Short mmCIF file of all heavy atoms in Angstrom, two decimals:
data_model
loop_
_atom_site.label_atom_id
_atom_site.label_comp_id
_atom_site.label_asym_id
_atom_site.label_seq_id
_atom_site.Cartn_x
_atom_site.Cartn_y
_atom_site.Cartn_z
N PHE K 139 -183.33 -53.15 -40.09
CA PHE K 139 -182.41 -52.19 -39.48
C PHE K 139 -183.02 -50.80 -39.64
O PHE K 139 -183.18 -50.31 -40.77
CB PHE K 139 -181.04 -52.25 -40.14
CG PHE K 139 -180.32 -53.55 -39.93
CD1 PHE K 139 -180.54 -54.63 -40.78
CD2 PHE K 139 -179.42 -53.71 -38.88
CE1 PHE K 139 -179.88 -55.84 -40.59
CE2 PHE K 139 -178.76 -54.91 -38.67
CZ PHE K 139 -178.99 -55.98 -39.53
N LEU K 140 -183.36 -50.17 -38.54
CA LEU K 140 -183.98 -48.84 -38.55
C LEU K 140 -182.91 -47.76 -38.60
O LEU K 140 -181.89 -47.86 -37.91
CB LEU K 140 -184.87 -48.65 -37.33
CG LEU K 140 -185.96 -49.72 -37.13
CD1 LEU K 140 -186.81 -49.39 -35.90
CD2 LEU K 140 -186.83 -49.86 -38.37
N LEU K 141 -183.15 -46.72 -39.40
CA LEU K 141 -182.10 -45.73 -39.65
C LEU K 141 -182.46 -44.30 -39.26
O LEU K 141 -181.61 -43.41 -39.36
CB LEU K 141 -181.73 -45.75 -41.14
CG LEU K 141 -181.07 -47.02 -41.67
CD1 LEU K 141 -180.88 -46.91 -43.18
CD2 LEU K 141 -179.73 -47.26 -40.99
N GLU K 142 -183.68 -44.03 -38.85
CA GLU K 142 -184.09 -42.64 -38.65
C GLU K 142 -183.22 -41.92 -37.62
O GLU K 142 -182.84 -40.77 -37.81
CB GLU K 142 -185.56 -42.56 -38.27
CG GLU K 142 -186.48 -42.93 -39.43
CD GLU K 142 -187.92 -42.49 -39.20
OE1 GLU K 142 -188.13 -41.32 -38.81
OE2 GLU K 142 -188.82 -43.30 -39.41
N ASP K 143 -182.89 -42.58 -36.53
CA ASP K 143 -182.03 -41.95 -35.53
C ASP K 143 -180.64 -41.67 -36.10
O ASP K 143 -180.06 -40.60 -35.85
CB ASP K 143 -181.92 -42.84 -34.29
CG ASP K 143 -183.19 -42.81 -33.44
OD1 ASP K 143 -184.00 -41.88 -33.62
OD2 ASP K 143 -183.36 -43.73 -32.60
N LYS K 144 -180.10 -42.62 -36.85
CA LYS K 144 -178.80 -42.42 -37.47
C LYS K 144 -178.85 -41.27 -38.47
O LYS K 144 -177.91 -40.45 -38.55
CB LYS K 144 -178.33 -43.71 -38.15
CG LYS K 144 -178.03 -44.85 -37.19
CD LYS K 144 -177.80 -46.16 -37.92
CE LYS K 144 -176.48 -46.19 -38.68
NZ LYS K 144 -176.22 -47.53 -39.27
N ASN K 145 -179.93 -41.19 -39.24
CA ASN K 145 -180.07 -40.10 -40.21
C ASN K 145 -180.02 -38.74 -39.52
O ASN K 145 -179.36 -37.80 -39.99
CB ASN K 145 -181.39 -40.24 -40.98
CG ASN K 145 -181.44 -41.50 -41.83
OD1 ASN K 145 -180.41 -42.08 -42.17
ND2 ASN K 145 -182.65 -41.93 -42.17
N ARG K 146 -180.72 -38.60 -38.39
CA ARG K 146 -180.74 -37.33 -37.67
C ARG K 146 -179.37 -36.98 -37.11
O ARG K 146 -178.96 -35.82 -37.12
CB ARG K 146 -181.77 -37.38 -36.55
CG ARG K 146 -183.20 -37.39 -37.06
CD ARG K 146 -184.21 -37.19 -35.94
NE ARG K 146 -185.54 -37.31 -36.50
CZ ARG K 146 -186.18 -38.46 -36.65
NH1 ARG K 146 -185.60 -39.58 -36.26
NH2 ARG K 146 -187.38 -38.50 -37.18
N GLN K 147 -178.68 -38.00 -36.61
CA GLN K 147 -177.34 -37.74 -36.08
C GLN K 147 -176.39 -37.27 -37.18
O GLN K 147 -175.56 -36.38 -36.95
CB GLN K 147 -176.80 -39.02 -35.44
CG GLN K 147 -177.50 -39.44 -34.17
CD GLN K 147 -176.96 -40.75 -33.62
OE1 GLN K 147 -175.76 -40.90 -33.38
NE2 GLN K 147 -177.85 -41.71 -33.42
N ILE K 148 -176.52 -37.85 -38.36
CA ILE K 148 -175.66 -37.45 -39.48
C ILE K 148 -175.95 -36.01 -39.88
O ILE K 148 -175.04 -35.20 -40.07
CB ILE K 148 -175.86 -38.42 -40.67
CG1 ILE K 148 -175.30 -39.80 -40.33
CG2 ILE K 148 -175.20 -37.86 -41.93
CD1 ILE K 148 -175.72 -40.88 -41.30
N VAL K 149 -177.22 -35.70 -40.01
CA VAL K 149 -177.60 -34.34 -40.39
C VAL K 149 -177.12 -33.32 -39.36
O VAL K 149 -176.60 -32.25 -39.69
CB VAL K 149 -179.13 -34.25 -40.59
CG1 VAL K 149 -179.56 -32.79 -40.78
CG2 VAL K 149 -179.57 -35.09 -41.77
N ALA K 150 -177.25 -33.67 -38.09
CA ALA K 150 -176.83 -32.76 -37.03
C ALA K 150 -175.32 -32.54 -37.04
O ALA K 150 -174.83 -31.46 -36.65
CB ALA K 150 -177.26 -33.32 -35.67
N ALA K 151 -174.57 -33.53 -37.51
CA ALA K 151 -173.11 -33.44 -37.49
C ALA K 151 -172.53 -32.77 -38.72
O ALA K 151 -171.34 -32.44 -38.75
CB ALA K 151 -172.52 -34.84 -37.34
N ILE K 152 -173.35 -32.56 -39.78
CA ILE K 152 -172.85 -31.97 -41.02
C ILE K 152 -173.66 -30.71 -41.32
O ILE K 152 -174.74 -30.77 -41.93
CB ILE K 152 -172.94 -32.97 -42.20
CG1 ILE K 152 -172.20 -34.27 -41.85
CG2 ILE K 152 -172.36 -32.37 -43.48
CD1 ILE K 152 -172.31 -35.35 -42.91
N PRO K 153 -173.18 -29.56 -40.92
CA PRO K 153 -173.97 -28.32 -41.03
C PRO K 153 -174.22 -27.86 -42.46
O PRO K 153 -175.10 -27.03 -42.69
CB PRO K 153 -173.11 -27.30 -40.27
CG PRO K 153 -171.73 -27.87 -40.23
CD PRO K 153 -171.90 -29.36 -40.21
N SER K 154 -173.48 -28.38 -43.42
CA SER K 154 -173.68 -27.96 -44.82
C SER K 154 -174.99 -28.46 -45.40
O SER K 154 -175.47 -27.94 -46.42
CB SER K 154 -172.51 -28.47 -45.68
OG SER K 154 -172.48 -29.89 -45.68
N ILE K 155 -175.60 -29.49 -44.79
CA ILE K 155 -176.83 -30.08 -45.33
C ILE K 155 -178.00 -29.12 -45.10
O ILE K 155 -178.35 -28.79 -43.97
CB ILE K 155 -177.12 -31.44 -44.67
CG1 ILE K 155 -176.01 -32.45 -45.00
CG2 ILE K 155 -178.47 -31.99 -45.14
CD1 ILE K 155 -176.13 -33.78 -44.27
N VAL K 156 -178.62 -28.70 -46.22
CA VAL K 156 -179.74 -27.75 -46.12
C VAL K 156 -181.09 -28.45 -46.23
O VAL K 156 -182.12 -27.89 -45.84
CB VAL K 156 -179.64 -26.65 -47.20
CG1 VAL K 156 -178.36 -25.85 -47.03
CG2 VAL K 156 -179.72 -27.24 -48.60
N ASN K 157 -181.11 -29.66 -46.79
CA ASN K 157 -182.36 -30.42 -46.86
C ASN K 157 -182.04 -31.90 -46.95
O ASN K 157 -181.01 -32.28 -47.54
CB ASN K 157 -183.20 -29.99 -48.07
CG ASN K 157 -184.69 -30.27 -47.86
OD1 ASN K 157 -185.08 -31.11 -47.06
ND2 ASN K 157 -185.52 -29.53 -48.59
N THR K 158 -182.92 -32.71 -46.37
CA THR K 158 -182.74 -34.15 -46.35
C THR K 158 -184.00 -34.81 -46.86
O THR K 158 -185.11 -34.53 -46.37
CB THR K 158 -182.45 -34.66 -44.92
OG1 THR K 158 -181.25 -34.05 -44.45
CG2 THR K 158 -182.30 -36.16 -44.90
N CYS K 159 -183.84 -35.68 -47.85
CA CYS K 159 -184.96 -36.45 -48.38
C CYS K 159 -184.87 -37.87 -47.84
O CYS K 159 -183.87 -38.57 -48.07
CB CYS K 159 -184.94 -36.47 -49.90
SG CYS K 159 -186.16 -37.60 -50.61
N GLN K 160 -185.92 -38.28 -47.11
CA GLN K 160 -185.94 -39.64 -46.57
C GLN K 160 -186.94 -40.49 -47.35
O GLN K 160 -188.09 -40.10 -47.52
CB GLN K 160 -186.29 -39.65 -45.09
CG GLN K 160 -186.31 -41.05 -44.49
CD GLN K 160 -186.44 -41.04 -42.98
OE1 GLN K 160 -185.45 -40.85 -42.28
NE2 GLN K 160 -187.65 -41.22 -42.49
N ILE K 161 -186.49 -41.66 -47.79
CA ILE K 161 -187.34 -42.61 -48.51
C ILE K 161 -187.92 -43.59 -47.48
O ILE K 161 -187.18 -44.17 -46.68
CB ILE K 161 -186.52 -43.37 -49.56
CG1 ILE K 161 -185.93 -42.39 -50.58
CG2 ILE K 161 -187.36 -44.43 -50.26
CD1 ILE K 161 -184.76 -42.94 -51.36
N GLU K 162 -189.23 -43.75 -47.49
CA GLU K 162 -189.88 -44.68 -46.55
C GLU K 162 -189.81 -46.08 -47.16
O GLU K 162 -190.80 -46.61 -47.66
CB GLU K 162 -191.32 -44.24 -46.30
CG GLU K 162 -191.45 -42.85 -45.72
CD GLU K 162 -190.76 -42.72 -44.36
OE1 GLU K 162 -191.05 -43.51 -43.46
OE2 GLU K 162 -189.91 -41.80 -44.23
N TYR K 163 -188.64 -46.67 -47.07
CA TYR K 163 -188.39 -47.97 -47.72
C TYR K 163 -188.86 -49.13 -46.85
O TYR K 163 -189.29 -50.16 -47.35
CB TYR K 163 -186.88 -48.09 -47.99
CG TYR K 163 -186.44 -49.38 -48.64
CD1 TYR K 163 -187.13 -49.91 -49.73
CD2 TYR K 163 -185.30 -50.05 -48.19
CE1 TYR K 163 -186.70 -51.08 -50.34
CE2 TYR K 163 -184.86 -51.21 -48.80
CZ TYR K 163 -185.56 -51.73 -49.86
OH TYR K 163 -185.13 -52.89 -50.46
N LEU K 164 -188.81 -48.97 -45.54
CA LEU K 164 -189.15 -50.04 -44.61
C LEU K 164 -190.40 -49.66 -43.84
O LEU K 164 -190.50 -48.56 -43.30
CB LEU K 164 -187.98 -50.26 -43.64
CG LEU K 164 -187.96 -51.55 -42.84
CD1 LEU K 164 -187.79 -52.76 -43.75
CD2 LEU K 164 -186.82 -51.51 -41.82
N SER K 165 -191.36 -50.57 -43.79
CA SER K 165 -192.56 -50.33 -42.98
C SER K 165 -192.18 -50.45 -41.51
O SER K 165 -191.71 -51.51 -41.08
CB SER K 165 -193.65 -51.34 -43.33
OG SER K 165 -194.04 -51.21 -44.67
N THR K 166 -192.36 -49.38 -40.77
CA THR K 166 -191.95 -49.39 -39.36
C THR K 166 -193.10 -48.92 -38.48
O THR K 166 -194.04 -48.25 -38.94
CB THR K 166 -190.75 -48.46 -39.12
OG1 THR K 166 -191.17 -47.10 -39.26
CG2 THR K 166 -189.63 -48.75 -40.09
N GLN K 167 -192.98 -49.25 -37.21
CA GLN K 167 -193.96 -48.82 -36.22
C GLN K 167 -193.38 -47.71 -35.33
O GLN K 167 -193.91 -47.40 -34.27
CB GLN K 167 -194.37 -50.01 -35.33
CG GLN K 167 -194.97 -51.17 -36.11
CD GLN K 167 -196.22 -50.77 -36.87
OE1 GLN K 167 -197.06 -50.06 -36.34
NE2 GLN K 167 -196.34 -51.23 -38.11
N ALA K 168 -192.24 -47.15 -35.77
CA ALA K 168 -191.57 -46.14 -34.95
C ALA K 168 -192.46 -44.91 -34.78
O ALA K 168 -193.10 -44.45 -35.71
CB ALA K 168 -190.24 -45.75 -35.60
N VAL K 169 -192.49 -44.41 -33.57
CA VAL K 169 -193.27 -43.21 -33.27
C VAL K 169 -192.32 -42.01 -33.26
O VAL K 169 -191.37 -41.95 -32.49
CB VAL K 169 -193.97 -43.33 -31.90
CG1 VAL K 169 -194.72 -42.04 -31.59
CG2 VAL K 169 -194.91 -44.53 -31.91
N VAL K 170 -192.56 -41.07 -34.15
CA VAL K 170 -191.70 -39.90 -34.26
C VAL K 170 -192.57 -38.65 -34.11
O VAL K 170 -193.60 -38.52 -34.78
CB VAL K 170 -190.98 -39.87 -35.63
CG1 VAL K 170 -190.07 -38.67 -35.72
CG2 VAL K 170 -190.22 -41.17 -35.86
N ASN K 171 -192.21 -37.74 -33.21
CA ASN K 171 -193.03 -36.55 -33.02
C ASN K 171 -192.85 -35.58 -34.19
O ASN K 171 -191.89 -35.64 -34.94
CB ASN K 171 -192.72 -35.88 -31.68
CG ASN K 171 -191.31 -35.32 -31.62
OD1 ASN K 171 -190.90 -34.58 -32.51
ND2 ASN K 171 -190.58 -35.65 -30.57
#
């Protein structure tokens, strides 16, 4: 289950978040610019 898109949506919806730490737990082939 890939979460990067969900993570971005959550951050965008909660303006109080000043920094987000993402753990690379799952090996993925997702291409992100």
Side-chain angles (χ1 to χ4, degrees):
F139 294 87
L140 305 182
L141 294 175
E142 290 196 48
D143 285 343
K144 293 170 71 174
N145 296 339
R146 289 190 184 86
Q147 291 177 55
I148 291 167
V149 172
I152 304 176
S154 63
I155 297 174
V156 299
N157 205 337
T158 299
C159 172
Q160 180 171 279
I161 300 160
E162 301 299 306
Y163 180 45
L164 196 65
S165 298
T166 70
Q167 301 300 318
V169 178
V170 181
N171 66 51

